[in-house]
Amino acid sequence: MSRDRDPSETGRAIIFDLDGTLIDTHDAHHAAWRTACAVNGIELTPAMFAWSFGRTNPAIIRRFWADDGRPEPDDETIERVAEAKEKDFRTELDRSFPAMPGVLELVTGLRERGFAIAIGTSAPRENLELAVDRLGIAELVDASVCGGEVIHGKPDPAVFLMAADRLGAIEVDQPGHGPHAARISPRSAPFVVPSPSRSTSLVPHAASSRPMSAPLTIPSPSRSAGQGSTGGV
């Protein structure tokens, strides 16, 4: 991925979510999780799938096991289930890639206007790399953070804070633990573009964690009501 924009100089940076914002992965995630659950004798309910949106695989698998009344799975089980699920998910993306309309034009336009670009996602890095390659934006993205790089997945804002730090938009000093342990010094004003269903739950956390400048309105594409985000899992 590229790294030739410095928001400390331009004062402009933007951080995108991936699933439900740049790619419409709702159906692919649902099919992959349904198969992963069925193989392990678990019925995936709509409520379980909705809860998974944006969360990391370990958190999702532990919750699914608990919802089925099972003991917490060990690390080997979590890794096995997650690997099988993501393999099925990437196979589905390869078969029919669900790009949101206008992504390449939007990201290209932002870069031409001097914005540094980052992606913050709970997805594994393999999913991110597949997505940016198929979208044609791999060389336009300056920084990225994936779920495996943070302790807490969404709705905790850690992926977005780390992405802003990697852009050089903020400085993060993390002396302790938890979502409020970081001390943040802004160098510029990064904007976060979350997937539609997380817009009310994530942005307040991000906004309270570091100062924002005057709002930038860039509507993210969405599905019909109730189907927008798919969870970057």
Side-chain angles (χ1 to χ4, degrees):
M1 295 186 185
S2 172
R3 185 65 178 92
D4 59 8
R5 289 289 189 278
D6 184 352
S8 66
E9 296 178 359
T10 67
R12 293 183 290 186
I14 188 161
I15 304 169
F16 287 95
D17 196 351
L18 178 64
D19 293 88
T21 301
L22 302 179
I23 51 176
D24 183 0
T25 51
H26 178 280
D27 293 344
H29 275 302
H30 186 264
W33 276 123
R34 186 176 58 219
T35 298
C37 286
V39 166
N40 289 278
I42 296 173
E43 180 182 357
L44 179 67
T45 67
M48 290 165 65
F49 181 59
W51 183 88
S52 75
F53 291 2
R55 289 179 165 87
T56 61
N57 282 330
I60 294 168
I61 294 166
R62 290 188 183 101
R63 175 64 177 264
F64 285 0
W65 259 236
D67 285 351
D68 199 53
R70 304 184 181 200
E72 181 170 321
D74 57 26
D75 291 344
E76 182 179 347
T77 298
I78 290 173
E79 183 177 358
R80 171 180 58 79
V81 174
E83 286 183 357
K85 181 267 174 180
E86 296 303 340
K87 181 179 179 181
D88 285 348
F89 173 75
R90 287 190 291 271
T91 297
E92 181 62 23
L93 285 198
D94 231 12
R95 185 187 68 80
S96 178
F97 187 74
M100 288 291 197
V103 168
L104 177 59
E105 293 82 0
L106 173 60
V107 174
T108 300
L110 288 168
R111 290 276 296 191
E112 289 174 348
R113 289 162 177 77
F115 281 86
I117 305 293
I119 297 175
T121 176
S122 294
R125 184 153 296 277
E126 294 89 343
N127 296 9
L128 173 63
E129 291 176 352
L130 171 63
V132 297
D133 181 64
R134 294 291 295 271
L135 288 167
I137 62 172
E139 297 305 315
L140 303 176
V141 177
D142 299 294
S144 62
V145 177
C146 296
E149 300 175 73
V150 295
I151 296 174
H152 301 290
K154 300 169 190 172
D156 188 285
V159 292
F160 294 125
L161 295 175
M162 186 178 291
D165 184 40
R166 288 182 178 177
L167 283 175
I170 60 174
E171 294 182 44
V172 179
D173 174 21
Q174 182 105 28
H177 301 283
H180 304 297
R183 293 196 297 267
I184 301 168
S185 303
R187 293 177 178 169
S188 65
F191 298 92
V192 176
V193 180
S195 56
S197 71
R198 288 195 288 272
S199 59
T200 57
S201 61
L202 257 180
V203 172
H205 288 287
S208 65
S209 298
R210 53 166 173 51
M212 304 284 277
S213 70
L216 171 69
T217 301
I218 300 180
S220 57
S222 64
R223 294 163 61 96
S224 58
Q227 294 185 331
S229 174
T230 65
V233 291

